């Protein structure tokens, strides 16, 4: 089901604003898909020995809802010599698993269930910090085998120890729930300018470390700042620990960002400047791509879903375009 509403209107204020135009468009959607592939677990008894080994079936149901808003404005000022256009868009979308034949965890551990949460939601231990002193080890429930430099976690079920039942279902993934952008173009006499901003929100990147501190830039950053006997105040856990590599909220980082994706400035020499020479125009321009990214996720590209992807490069170029 999709609903769409759009409208535009002209606004005249005085003699310096001639044809100001505003436009907006809103689209809301709600879908419910069935026959999603997933494996049975809730309706298959454990004593059969089949749990976890059955093939996927078309039994899942997933709903998706959200909206998209687009606003636009264009105008001419200074007796029509300066023209600009501004367009912005904002989209929010969220999916939810309605049914997947999931084995129930019971009321006590309902926070672990996947049904009712988005696809791709992950079970994570809730990190409280790093065990920096013996007091930290003695005064907090610990994962089996924990020692100094290891992460400590929240005891969600209150049994005074950390087990697999102390994992919480976290909804956000590398697929953002919010996507937005802003495009601006302007022209004044022979000059032209374009700029594109884009970004995302409500996204998380889980980058649990591996066993190889030299495998990529992220591993190097973790190894360089890790807790050691000579670096006891570090907020990074020690490397080489099984507990460090557990999926936890410590590695569940905010992947929101705002990026200046593109900027271009140009100047065109008009045809009349060339007289009888058969040239329609000569344009000079300079441009830049990926010039600036504002994000809290410094070790990897927040727009990527893979830690091994090539990082976004900042690119500058200049050119000349001759038209006959």
């Amino acid at each position: 089901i999709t609903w769409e509403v759009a409208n535009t209107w002209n606004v005249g204020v005085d003699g310096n604003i001639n044809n100001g135009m505003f436009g907006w468009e809103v689209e809301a959607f709600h879908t419910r898909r069935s026959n999603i592939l997933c494996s049975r677990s809730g309706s298959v008894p454990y004593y059969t020995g089949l749990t976890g080994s059955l093939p996927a079936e078309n039994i899942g149901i997933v709903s998706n809802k959200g909206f998209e808003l687009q606003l636009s404005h264009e105008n001419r000022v200074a007796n029509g010599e300066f023209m600009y256009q501004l367009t912005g868009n904002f989209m929010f979308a969220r999916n939810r698993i309605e049914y997947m034949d999931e084995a129930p965890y019971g009321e006590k551990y309902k926070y672990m269930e996947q049904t009712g949460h988005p696809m791709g939601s992950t079970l994570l231990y809730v990190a409280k910090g790093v065990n920096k002193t013996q007091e930290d080890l003695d005064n907090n429930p610990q994962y089996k085998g924990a020692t100094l430099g290891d992460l400590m976690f929240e005891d969600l079920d209150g049994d005074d120890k950390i087990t697999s039942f102390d994992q919480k279902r976290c909804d956000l993934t590398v697929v953002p729930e919010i996507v937005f952008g802003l495009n601006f173009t302007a022209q004044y006499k022979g000059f032209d300018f374009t700029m594109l901003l884009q970004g995302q929100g409500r996204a998380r990147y889980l980058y649990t470390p591996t066993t190889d501190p030299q495998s990529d830039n992220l591993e190097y950053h973790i190894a360089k700042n890790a807790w050691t006997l000579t670096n006891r105040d570090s907020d990074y856990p020690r490397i080489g620990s099984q507990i460090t590599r557990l999926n936890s909220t410590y590695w569940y980082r905010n992947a929101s960002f705002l990026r200046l994706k593109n900027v271009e400035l140009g100047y065109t020499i008009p045809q009349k400047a060339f007289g009888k020479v058969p040239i329609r125009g000569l344009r000079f321009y300079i441009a830049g791509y990926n010039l600036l990214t504002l994000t809290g996720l410094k070790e990897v590209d927040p727009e990527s879903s893979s830690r091994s992807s090539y990082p976004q490069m900042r690119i500058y170029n200049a050119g000349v375009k001759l038209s006959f």
Side-chain angles (χ1 to χ4, degrees):
I1 302 175
T2 302
W3 302 270
E4 182 176 340
V5 180
N7 196 10
T8 59
W9 67 92
N10 294 324
V11 177
V13 179
D14 54 37
N16 294 322
I17 300 181
N18 301 315
N19 296 306
M21 177 177 288
F22 293 87
W24 58 273
E25 182 176 327
V26 179
E27 181 176 346
F29 56 89
H30 185 282
T31 62
R32 190 173 187 270
R33 295 177 295 151
S34 57
N35 296 325
I36 304 296
L37 279 172
C38 59
S39 299
R40 292 184 183 273
S41 60
S43 60
V44 180
Y46 283 104
Y47 60 75
T48 64
L50 298 175
T51 305
S53 62
L54 292 173
E57 302 178 55
N58 298 99
I59 58 175
I61 301 174
V62 177
S63 64
N64 192 43
K65 61 182 178 180
F67 69 92
E68 183 171 6
L69 171 66
Q70 179 170 302
L71 301 174
S72 62
H73 171 59
E74 61 180 77
N75 200 5
R76 290 181 178 272
V77 296
N79 296 321
E81 291 188 319
F82 179 70
M83 184 275 291
Y84 66 89
Q85 185 177 51
L86 194 65
T87 304
N89 65 284
F90 180 93
M91 185 187 73
F92 172 83
R94 175 178 293 168
N95 67 75
R96 181 177 184 269
I97 297 174
E98 304 287 349
Y99 176 77
M100 59 176 296
D101 193 43
E102 179 180 25
Y105 284 88
E107 192 62 34
K108 183 178 181 180
Y109 302 109
K110 197 170 183 65
Y111 55 83
M112 299 182 67
E113 293 182 0
Q114 190 169 6
T115 304
H117 294 267
M119 296 179 65
S121 59
T122 308
L123 283 174
L124 301 175
Y125 292 96
V126 181
K128 298 198 304 183
V130 176
N131 286 301
K132 299 180 181 181
T133 65
Q134 188 62 41
E135 287 73 19
D136 290 335
L137 283 171
D138 296 339
N139 298 329
N140 294 279
Q142 299 292 339
Y143 192 89
K144 184 179 179 180
T147 185
L148 290 176
D150 282 326
L151 291 169
M152 50 184 172
F153 305 117
E154 294 280 357
D155 180 19
L156 298 182
D157 60 1
D159 63 356
D160 230 14
K161 56 185 177 181
I162 303 300
T163 67
S164 60
F165 290 104
D166 292 305
Q167 298 178 87
K168 179 183 178 181
R169 182 70 61 178
C170 297
D171 291 348
L172 299 181
T173 68
V174 292
V175 179
E177 289 189 342
I178 294 175
V179 177
F180 55 88
L182 179 67
N183 187 53
F184 176 76
T185 63
Q187 294 180 358
Y188 179 70
K189 296 183 178 180
F191 291 93
D192 61 90
F193 176 80
T194 63
M195 179 182 69
L196 173 63
L197 291 168
Q198 67 177 52
Q200 67 182 30
R202 292 193 57 78
R204 292 293 186 273
Y205 192 105
L206 180 63
Y207 59 60
T208 306
T210 66
T211 57
D212 181 9
Q214 302 299 326
S215 61
D216 55 35
N217 180 62
L218 172 59
E219 296 298 337
Y220 173 77
H221 179 81
I222 295 171
K224 180 181 178 182
N225 296 281
W227 184 96
T228 65
L229 291 174
T230 58
N231 189 28
R232 293 175 178 267
D233 291 330
S234 174
D235 291 326
Y236 278 80
R238 67 187 181 96
I239 61 174
S241 168
Q242 173 195 4
I243 298 174
T244 297
R245 295 194 298 273
L246 291 173
N247 286 341
S248 72
T249 56
Y250 184 88
W251 306 109
Y252 188 58
R253 303 301 176 87
N254 190 344
S256 302
F257 72 89
L258 173 64
R259 173 169 286 158
L260 180 56
K261 189 67 176 180
N262 177 41
V263 173
E264 183 172 320
L265 176 64
Y267 178 74
T268 301
I269 301 176
Q271 181 181 15
K272 62 182 181 180
F274 297 97
K276 296 182 179 181
V277 179
I279 295 178
R280 291 196 302 172
L282 179 63
R283 182 174 182 264
F284 301 88
Y285 67 90
I286 55 174
Y289 301 89
N290 300 318
L291 296 180
L292 176 66
T293 301
L294 301 178
T295 180
L297 191 62
K298 304 298 184 182
E299 296 83 7
V300 293
D301 178 18
E303 196 173 4
S304 171
S305 60
S306 171
R307 65 191 297 161
S308 60
S309 62
Y310 201 75
Q312 294 277 2
M313 298 181 64
R314 186 179 293 116
I315 301 173
Y316 303 93
N317 57 36
V320 178
K321 182 179 180 181
L322 182 63
S323 303
F324 293 96

